[in-house]
Amino acid sequence: MRVLLITPKSKLPIDVRTTPSLGLAYIGAVSEQRGDQVRLLDMNVDDTPLAQALEPTPAIVGLTANTSQIKAAWRAAQEIKALKDVPVVLGGPHPTVLPQESLEKPFVDVVVRGEGEATWRELCELLEVRGGDRWKQGLASVPGLAFLQKGGVVVHNPDRPLIADLDNLPFPAYHLFQIDRYTCLQPAIDNPQENTPSYSIMTSRGCPYRCHYCSQSIFPARWRARSPENVLAEWRWLVGEMGAREIGVLDDSFNIDRKRVRAICDGLISAGLNRVPWILINGIRANLADEASLAQMKRAGLKRTAFGVESGDQVILNSIDKHLKLEEVEAAFKAARKVGLETIGFFMIGLPGETEATMDETIKLACKLDPVVANFSMTTPFPGTVLYEQVKANGRFLMDDWDDFVFFEGKARYEMDGLTAELQERKWREAYRRFYLRPHRIWRTLARKDTWLNLPRVLRMGARLVLPKGWLETERCGKQLEGEPCN
């Protein structure tokens, strides 16, 4: 049957990478295994009108959404229902946590909670067998679904067990995407014109850690890994058949099993796949990143890794259940630098219990570690996390709606226990100024080829990070610097 999959448009800050949705790439592959005719519309890179995308009429439409996309997903679903009487299914992190919120919308028929591949397959089989409105009568038999019964009662089916053997999944259906429309994996560092086509790979799912701010905490604390053989088979396919010139590993916890990492690296080296550079987009655990394993990853083609540092204050790290010591962080950066790897540091401003002094410690640590890139994100309490519940119980949310949940913007998301919005926003801007306006950092930026190839972008990003809050908005509206309101 015909299937349409949609990635709604994201509200993202400037210079955030655009990559194909790996989740929908897997859903598309599962559908094609069934024999479905699949079309995919990524509204971030494709301006095809929905009316056109819905021709010929699909049997089912699936949308994915994180928190900052959810309103865009609802708008798309509403437009779809106005154009066609087709089942609309919503999945992704946000509807997984808050399924009832979406099901209260008259244009959403079903929510898929958690991992979607097996649930999507059963849902499509149900629709294919029953057809028409009769398919709704069988929804109660599909684990992992939530749906609305007649009378407005929301039914939450039992959770679907996590996929036990990830090797059974098909490779992502990247051919459904217009790959030439995506940037490289980290355009703030690389020149997009020199690094495409870029593809992502996920070699494991889940995380055994329960950091209070992380959306992984909405899933069971179980880490599952693909076998090295299966990972290498996909890697060969991405390079040999898809023409990958850069690969990004999307795992949340790639280096949990260092023996498996060594086996993957050995395979990349022996197969000659190390000629294609790869990066660890979401980073790896600093406490598990020893010099020997980092050196082997470097030999296997690794170009860059990130480390989630979060805070420069040990008490704050302990309070968010990070299970990480600052000396381990410093050792990991030192080892990465020694073996020749580029590094990215992820830092958070405005964690619960923070003071100006603790945020200063984070900024000082970032400057001491001196990664190629330091990302300072505003602490954002996403639904389903421990942090969200903490703010809900003891603080005050500052977001007007879900569109505001974009954590690389310099806007405070909450206040709690004396941690004011003014303090968080001021320290966020200060962090970028103190890190990037050091003389050797300015020289490093000027020495990069990419700086001059993308000078307008670099200037915009620099202005956004270092100028006083509100200056860009004032300047954009033509009021110069008088501080007049933009009408």
Side-chain angles (χ1 to χ4, degrees):
M1 62 185 187
R2 292 190 180 94
V3 168
L4 175 62
L5 302 175
I6 297 176
T7 301
K9 191 170 182 62
S10 299
K11 181 189 176 185
L12 295 172
I14 59 173
D15 298 309
V16 172
R17 66 181 184 268
T18 55
T19 56
S21 165
L22 189 57
L24 284 193
Y26 273 116
I27 295 296
V30 166
S31 265
E32 289 191 328
Q33 271 190 337
R34 282 181 17 85
D36 296 328
Q37 301 173 46
V38 184
R39 180 173 181 184
L40 193 144
L41 174 65
D42 186 341
M43 301 178 79
N44 293 291
V45 299
D46 191 339
D47 58 2
T48 299
L50 274 174
Q52 182 178 332
L54 289 165
E55 296 295 345
T57 304
I60 189 171
V61 178
L63 299 100
T64 186
N66 56 34
T67 297
S68 63
Q69 289 175 308
I70 191 64
K71 290 188 70 178
W74 291 337
R75 289 191 292 269
Q78 186 173 24
E79 185 177 349
I80 290 165
K81 282 293 191 181
L83 294 166
K84 299 285 184 178
D85 183 19
V86 296
V88 173
V89 180
L90 190 57
H94 189 91
T96 290
V97 176
L98 299 173
Q100 183 159 343
E101 176 192 46
S102 290
L103 290 170
E104 289 172 352
K105 314 295 181 185
F107 35 79
V108 176
D109 294 295
V110 178
V111 164
V112 173
R113 307 191 317 268
E115 288 183 319
E117 290 89 356
T119 304
W120 177 261
R121 185 190 297 273
E122 287 190 27
L123 184 59
C124 288
E125 290 169 354
L126 179 67
L127 178 61
E128 194 169 39
V129 170
R130 298 203 176 200
D133 286 335
R134 293 189 304 116
W135 70 282
K136 294 184 180 180
Q137 300 170 12
L139 292 177
S141 66
V142 182
L145 287 186
F147 61 96
L148 202 64
Q149 274 186 336
K150 287 183 178 179
V153 177
V154 175
V155 176
H156 301 279
N157 290 353
D159 292 340
R160 180 176 291 277
L162 296 174
I163 298 171
D165 188 353
L166 297 176
D167 286 4
N168 291 329
L169 288 171
F171 294 162
Y174 281 128
H175 61 277
L176 298 174
F177 296 85
Q178 301 180 63
I179 294 297
D180 60 328
R181 297 193 178 187
Y182 294 91
T183 66
C184 62
L185 292 167
Q186 287 175 330
I189 301 175
D190 301 313
N191 176 15
Q193 302 304 315
E194 293 183 351
N195 288 279
T196 51
S198 302
Y199 293 92
S200 301
I201 186 172
M202 185 168 284
T203 79
S204 66
R205 290 185 180 182
C207 181
Y209 296 91
R210 303 284 91 184
C211 300
H212 289 184
Y213 56 86
C214 183
S215 61
Q216 273 293 335
S217 61
I218 70 178
F219 299 105
R222 182 180 166 197
W223 181 74
R224 293 155 295 141
R226 296 166 57 189
S227 68
E229 294 77 15
N230 186 252
V231 172
L232 291 167
E234 182 176 344
W235 213 296
R236 282 192 295 270
W237 169 72
L238 289 173
V239 173
E241 296 188 34
M242 303 303 292
R245 294 178 60 188
E246 180 186 42
I247 290 174
V249 175
L250 274 176
D251 300 34
D252 287 294
S253 306
F254 177 69
N255 65 332
I256 294 294
D257 183 345
R258 282 177 278 189
K259 181 178 179 181
R260 188 186 77 106
V261 170
R262 288 195 296 272
I264 291 172
C265 291
D266 287 343
L268 293 174
I269 295 168
S270 62
L273 295 170
N274 56 342
R275 69 183 186 278
V276 175
W278 53 284
I279 62 178
L280 291 159
I281 294 176
N282 292 328
I284 53 177
R285 292 287 308 186
N287 57 310
L288 300 177
D290 60 276
E291 184 179 326
S293 62
L294 289 171
Q296 188 182 35
M297 285 189 270
K298 169 71 173 175
R299 290 192 296 272
L302 180 63
K303 174 183 178 183
R304 178 184 312 127
T305 186
F307 295 102
V309 181
E310 322 318 347
S311 175
D313 185 276
Q314 188 64 59
V315 173
I316 296 296
L317 277 183
N318 295 343
S319 73
I320 59 175
D321 213 17
K322 183 70 179 179
H323 291 281
L324 184 65
K325 295 179 180 179
L326 291 175
E327 53 264 35
E328 294 171 329
V329 171
E330 294 193 35
F333 274 88
K334 181 179 179 181
R337 186 176 294 110
K338 184 175 180 179
V339 303
L341 288 173
E342 297 176 358
T343 56
I344 295 177
F346 293 136
F347 305 90
M348 300 178 73
I349 298 295
L351 286 160
E354 289 236 71
T355 64
E356 184 154 6
T358 64
M359 288 184 268
D360 273 333
E361 290 302 313
T362 299
I363 298 169
K364 286 191 285 187
L365 179 61
C367 293
K368 181 180 181 180
L369 298 174
D370 202 27
V372 174
V373 170
N375 277 329
F376 298 93
S377 63
M378 297 297 295
T379 298
T380 304
F382 285 97
T385 63
V386 173
L387 175 59
Y388 184 88
E389 296 303 321
Q390 289 175 332
V391 176
K392 187 176 179 180
N394 303 307
R396 180 170 72 97
F397 294 103
L398 300 178
M399 291 81 72
D400 294 327
D401 57 35
W402 298 129
D403 280 348
D404 290 332
F405 278 71
V406 183
F407 50 80
F408 283 124
E409 289 185 338
K411 178 181 176 183
R413 309 307 183 192
Y414 76 101
E415 291 183 326
M416 187 169 68
D417 297 332
L419 185 62
T420 66
E422 184 279 329
L423 176 60
Q424 294 176 66
E425 293 169 6
R426 174 164 55 84
K427 299 305 287 187
W428 182 83
R429 284 176 169 77
E430 181 184 327
Y432 276 105
R433 288 196 298 271
R434 286 170 59 180
F435 184 86
Y436 283 104
L437 294 186
R438 293 173 294 160
H440 82 280
R441 296 296 312 200
I442 295 173
W443 173 249
R444 182 186 294 183
T445 300
L446 293 175
R448 280 171 43 204
K449 175 183 175 183
D450 177 61
T451 298
W452 303 101
L453 290 173
N454 299 279
L455 188 60
R457 169 181 63 79
V458 173
L459 293 175
R460 283 197 311 273
M461 185 167 61
R464 174 176 169 268
L465 296 175
V466 302
L467 289 174
K469 181 184 177 183
W471 188 92
L472 286 178
E473 289 76 9
T474 304
E475 200 278 337
R476 261 202 309 270
C477 77
K479 302 292 184 178
Q480 302 300 321
L481 294 177
E482 287 88 357
E484 299 177 39
C486 294
N487 299 317

